[in-house]
């Protein structure tokens, strides 16, 4: 898949976000600080993986790109709000995101909380006001709401908070014996299926819904997205111990420092890499029936597991 396609989709996302976000100048003057914080959180950075998945899934099944603009922007707005809140002192207490100060550092904690709240509501108004059939807009809202709440991202974050401080303090460099670890791995994968995977699955599903995908196709794409969500997190966990803060654009080494439950901590570095390859094979298998139509989805899957940041 040509990088130019991803660049075009990313540019469409950026343009839609720019239009949807309150203007830092030229629009309503107040609350200017909140407007600026929302833009700081959302524009000018990030991999845009979730919007790209919306476009890739929809395009694979024949949806027109303009129809995909609203769900692509909406899923990125929810992702941006989640990062703002995740970085707060009460959560991960991080000072760096996408190579820039986090919102609560650049502004203040109260503004960061409000910015996250406002980005979340903007996501749903973007779907509700989209130029699309009412039934489709309802399906999009239902999908994104389900992925964002207690049965999705928020629930996963709660499980992550509960697990913090109970992981290994040192990351082993060899696979940990499987005896007694299967239950721990199941809990870890359930947490990340909610925290990271739910929004990735929603992105793929919203693209497919725009193309009026049938139930078997939706199920197959959901299986692909479930494997991708876990693979994305395994790679994140590995990068936290293998990459620098400069490479990542965020603070490296925090998982170990906070004794978080991670794949390397549970399986060892080699075991985490092996799990990543298993998930890569799952992704390839689920897309095989779609043939060349799934090239963009396949390329995004490979990008997620081979990325260096």
């Amino acid at each position: 898949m040509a990088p130019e396609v991803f660049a075009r989709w990313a540019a469409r996302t950026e343009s839609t976000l720019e239009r949807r976000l309150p203007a830092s100048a030229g629009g309503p003057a107040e609350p200017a600080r909140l407007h600026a914080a929302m833009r700081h959180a959302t524009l000018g950075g990030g991999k845009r993986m979730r919007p790209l998945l919306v476009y890739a899934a929809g395009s694979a099944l024949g949806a027109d790109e303009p129809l995909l603009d609203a769900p692509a922007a909406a899923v990125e707005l929810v992702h941006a709000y989640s990062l703002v809140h995740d970085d707060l002192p009460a959560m991960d207490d991080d000072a760096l995101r996408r190579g820039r100060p986090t919102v609560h550092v650049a502004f203040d904690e109260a503004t960061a909380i409000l910015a996250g709240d406002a980005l979340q509501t903007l996501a749903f108004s973007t779907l509700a006001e989209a130029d699309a059939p009412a039934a489709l807009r309802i399906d999009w809202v239902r999908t994104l709401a389900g992925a964002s709440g207690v049965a999705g991202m928020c629930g996963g974050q709660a499980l992550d908070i509960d697990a913090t401080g109970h992981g290994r303090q040192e990351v082993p460099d060899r696979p940990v014996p499987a005896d007694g670890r299967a239950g721990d791995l199941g809990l870890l994968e359930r947490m990340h299926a909610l925290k990271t995977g739910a929004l990735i699955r929603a992105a793929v599903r919203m693209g497919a819904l725009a193309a009026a995908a049938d139930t078997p196709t939706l199920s197959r794409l959901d299986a692909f997205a479930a494997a991708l969500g876990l693979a994305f997190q395994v790679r994140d966990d590995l990068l936290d111990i293998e990459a620098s803060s400069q490479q990542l654009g965020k603070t490296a080494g925090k998982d170990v420092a906070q004794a978080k439950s991670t794949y390397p901590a549970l399986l060892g570095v080699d075991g985490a890499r092996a799990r990543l390859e298993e998930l890569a094979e799952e992704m390839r298998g689920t897309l095989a029936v779609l043939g060349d139509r799934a090239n963009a989805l396949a390329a995004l899957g490979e990008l997620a597991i081979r990325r260096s940041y």
Side-chain angles (χ1 to χ4, degrees), residues 20-149:
R20 294 296 302 175
L21 286 163
S24 57
E30 299 296 338
R33 187 174 180 81
L34 177 59
H35 295 171
M38 293 169 68
R39 298 174 72 83
H40 180 92
T42 309
L43 297 175
K47 292 176 281 292
R48 304 301 191 212
M49 173 63 72
R50 291 152 192 81
L52 293 180
L53 286 167
V54 174
Y55 286 111
S59 297
L61 303 176
D64 292 333
E65 284 185 3
L67 184 60
L68 301 170
D69 290 340
V75 74
E76 187 66 10
L77 287 166
V78 168
H79 178 55
Y81 119 71
S82 75
L83 297 182
V84 174
H85 283 188
D86 193 46
D87 289 335
L88 287 167
M91 298 279 192
D92 278 0
D93 193 13
D94 219 327
L96 190 67
R97 174 70 68 179
R98 295 172 175 173
R100 300 186 297 174
T102 50
V103 176
H104 73 273
V105 172
F107 295 86
D108 56 68
E109 191 172 343
T111 300
I113 293 170
L114 291 173
D117 293 345
L119 289 170
Q120 179 181 200
T121 57
L122 182 60
F124 289 100
S125 68
T126 296
L127 294 178
E129 296 164 13
D131 184 12
L136 177 57
R137 284 182 279 140
I138 291 170
D139 281 345
W140 282 340
V141 168
R142 182 183 298 116
T143 298
L144 189 56
S148 303

Side-chain angles (χ1 to χ4, degrees), residues 7-273:
R8 185 178 76 244
W9 291 342
R12 291 189 72 97
T13 301
E14 202 76 10
S15 177
T16 305
L17 291 171
E18 178 69 48
R19 291 195 306 271
R20 294 296 302 175
L21 286 163
S24 57
E30 299 296 338
R33 187 174 180 81
L34 177 59
H35 295 171
M38 293 169 68
R39 298 174 72 83
H40 180 92
T42 309
L43 297 175
K47 292 176 281 292
R48 304 301 191 212
M49 173 63 72
R50 291 152 192 81
L52 293 180
L53 286 167
V54 174
Y55 286 111
S59 297
L61 303 176
D64 292 333
E65 284 185 3
L67 184 60
L68 301 170
D69 290 340
V75 74
E76 187 66 10
L77 287 166
V78 168
H79 178 55
Y81 119 71
S82 75
L83 297 182
V84 174
H85 283 188
D86 193 46
D87 289 335
L88 287 167
M91 298 279 192
D92 278 0
D93 193 13
D94 219 327
L96 190 67
R97 174 70 68 179
R98 295 172 175 173
R100 300 186 297 174
T102 50
V103 176
H104 73 273
V105 172
F107 295 86
D108 56 68
E109 191 172 343
T111 300
I113 293 170
L114 291 173
D117 293 345
L119 289 170
Q120 179 181 200
T121 57
L122 182 60
F124 289 100
S125 68
T126 296
L127 294 178
E129 296 164 13
D131 184 12
L136 177 57
R137 284 182 279 140
I138 291 170
D139 281 345
W140 282 340
V141 168
R142 182 183 298 116
T143 298
L144 189 56
S148 303
V150 69
M153 185 179 64
C154 287
Q157 178 69 6
L159 293 175
D160 191 17
I161 291 169
D162 290 343
T164 297
H166 301 293
R168 294 172 179 265
Q169 294 293 328
E170 297 180 0
V171 176
D173 59 3
R174 295 183 300 278
V176 175
D179 295 347
R181 309 304 290 176
D184 290 344
L185 181 60
L187 291 173
L188 180 66
E189 297 209 332
R190 177 173 176 265
M191 176 180 78
H192 288 306
L194 298 178
K195 181 182 176 182
T196 304
L199 208 56
I200 286 175
R201 294 195 304 275
V204 172
R205 188 175 186 88
M206 287 194 293
L209 287 170
D214 58 25
T215 299
T217 301
L218 287 172
S219 296
R220 181 168 292 276
L221 288 177
D222 191 61
F224 160 78
L228 173 58
L230 290 178
F232 194 93
Q233 187 61 52
V234 177
R235 186 62 183 148
D236 251 12
D237 288 354
L238 285 166
L239 285 171
D240 184 72
I241 60 175
E242 294 176 341
S244 67
S245 297
Q246 184 176 7
Q247 283 176 281
L248 297 177
K250 60 183 180 180
T251 306
K254 290 207 71 173
D255 290 345
V256 175
Q258 296 178 343
K260 283 202 167 192
S261 181
T262 67
Y263 287 89
L266 187 62
L267 302 176
V269 172
D270 290 343
R273 288 174 180 153

